[in-house]
Amino acid sequence: MGFSCILSTPLNGRGMKGGSPLGLEFCTIASGSSGNCTYIGTKYTKILVDAGVSGKRMEDGLAELKLSGQDIDALFITHEHLDHVKGAGIFSRRFDIPIYATVETWAAMEGSLGKIAPGNKRFVYADEVCPINDICVKPFAIPHDAADPVAYNFLVGEKKITLATDIGHATDSIREHLEGSDILLLESNHDETKLKKGKYPYHLKQRILGENGHLSNHAAGELLSSVVTGKMKYVFLGHLSEENNDPHLAYETVAEILRKNHIKVNTHLHMDMAYRFGNGAKIEL
Ligand SMILES: [Zn+2]
Ligand SMILES: [Zn+2]
């Protein structure tokens, strides 16, 4: 079956009543400093982003979506940190799944993945669209203390899903890539006060707070406020620190900043959490 990456091209039946004409689904399987994995799929194409949990947990998460590892067409990796790649090698070997990452990320993570079949070693390049059947995957560069970290846009027809975690600070490029997303998974890693007062060693606190560290709840709220448009329907806050955050605090901090910017949560857009353990809400577009 041939597909094109012309973004305005409808697939089939767009405009049908009921159901999801594109069959586009989004669901986080794990999110947080202890491991990350997200599912995005259509009728034709099923993708995972990051594999920072065990192969078993990935399979459990897929089973809840009535899928198995055999259904997965591609695994995209954001960067080499273990909370994003821990289960990648096992999963690729078990189900013969191609892994996509940037050249530098491959070099940095290869040692921890184990042997990967040569045909399953694939490359992506920032700002170059990588089509997987009917899903156009677009990596874009983010500031984070890894070899060559990227976040991803997933484009299907006129729909856009964006996964953006492990971000040291917001940049104009990040804002541009987040704008117009129908669904956004955004990092809301830590509460700055909790982190500063907490028990992490000084150098780790500085790393997390730094330009190439992680996005705080406050920074996530500010970034989100600057990119919300009428098109954005769902935001998931994710990659929460276990030590320096809690879901209620993250949600309330971001919601308060949105309110100050006259964006009504759950009126203008739905906001939810991507859970550390277990699937988040499944969204169909
Ligand atoms: Zn990281
Ligand atoms: Zn991470």
Side-chain angles (χ1 to χ4, degrees):
M1 190 177 306
F3 292 103
S4 88
C5 264
I6 300 167
L7 304 180
S8 59
T9 301
L11 283 173
N12 52 30
R14 190 145 56 89
M16 283 187 318
K17 282 189 182 158
S20 169
L22 292 171
L24 182 55
E25 294 181 342
F26 166 94
C27 187
T28 57
I29 289 173
S31 185
S33 46
S34 50
N36 297 276
C37 182
T38 300
Y39 168 76
I40 291 164
T42 68
K43 289 171 191 160
Y44 307 105
T45 315
K46 303 185 187 323
I47 288 173
L48 288 179
V49 184
D50 286 334
V53 291
S54 69
K56 162 106 179 48
R57 277 195 56 200
M58 290 163 72
E59 285 186 66
D60 289 348
L62 288 172
E64 262 189 60
L65 298 168
K66 299 186 172 51
L67 296 169
S68 85
Q70 269 139 1
D71 296 313
I72 299 302
D73 297 295
L75 167 61
F76 283 82
I77 299 293
T78 57
H79 63 295
E80 71 275 16
H81 291 162
L82 271 186
D83 58 321
H84 299 263
V85 304
K86 202 160 34 192
I90 291 167
F91 205 72
S92 173
R93 283 187 288 280
R94 190 174 297 164
F95 299 108
D96 192 24
I97 293 168
I99 302 175
Y100 292 77
T102 65
V103 175
E104 289 90 342
T105 295
W106 262 113
M109 74 178 178
E110 213 156 2
S112 50
L113 257 54
K115 193 166 168 47
I116 300 297
N120 285 336
K121 185 176 169 180
R122 312 275 178 93
F123 295 98
V124 292
Y125 304 90
D127 299 320
E128 278 189 24
V129 170
C130 173
I132 308 289
N133 301 330
D134 57 335
I135 302 183
C136 298
V137 185
K138 189 184 178 199
F140 56 96
I142 50 168
H144 187 55
D145 54 0
D148 185 21
V150 292
Y152 287 103
N153 290 142
F154 297 87
L155 306 146
V156 181
E158 291 168 352
K159 303 295 182 188
K160 176 174 171 179
I161 297 175
T162 304
L163 269 58
T165 67
D166 300 74
I167 296 170
H169 64 281
T171 64
D172 287 344
S173 166
I174 289 173
R175 281 185 203 95
E176 277 167 32
H177 284 93
L178 265 51
E179 275 169 7
S181 300
D182 295 87
I183 302 174
L184 169 63
L185 170 63
L186 181 64
E187 173 167 53
S188 192
N189 179 259
H190 59 274
D191 175 76
E192 281 199 30
T193 309
K194 255 187 150 193
L195 174 65
K196 284 175 183 164
K197 287 186 177 166
K199 61 185 179 192
Y200 274 14
Y202 178 79
H203 72 273
L204 188 51
K205 288 182 183 179
Q206 293 307 111
R207 194 214 127 205
I208 294 166
L209 289 165
E211 290 274 281
N212 296 321
H214 289 278
L215 217 53
S216 69
N217 296 337
H218 192 270
E222 294 289 348
L223 173 56
L224 186 54
S225 297
S226 70
V227 296
V228 170
T229 62
K231 190 167 183 280
M232 195 177 283
K233 296 178 195 73
Y234 300 95
V235 172
F236 289 83
L237 302 179
H239 208 298
L240 270 66
S241 163
E242 191 163 23
E243 181 73 27
N244 304 305
N245 211 352
D246 72 64
H248 183 74
L249 179 59
Y251 188 97
E252 283 308 318
T253 304
V254 173
E256 179 60 25
I257 294 168
L258 291 173
R259 273 193 291 271
K260 278 185 189 156
N261 286 282
H262 312 292
I263 299 158
K264 287 185 185 149
V265 177
N266 294 334
T267 302
H268 291 141
L269 87 162
H270 295 278
M271 193 161 80
D272 205 345
M273 304 309 293
Y275 304 126
R276 179 175 302 282
F277 302 110
N279 291 8
K282 184 175 95 171
I283 304 297
E284 296 176 36
L285 289 177

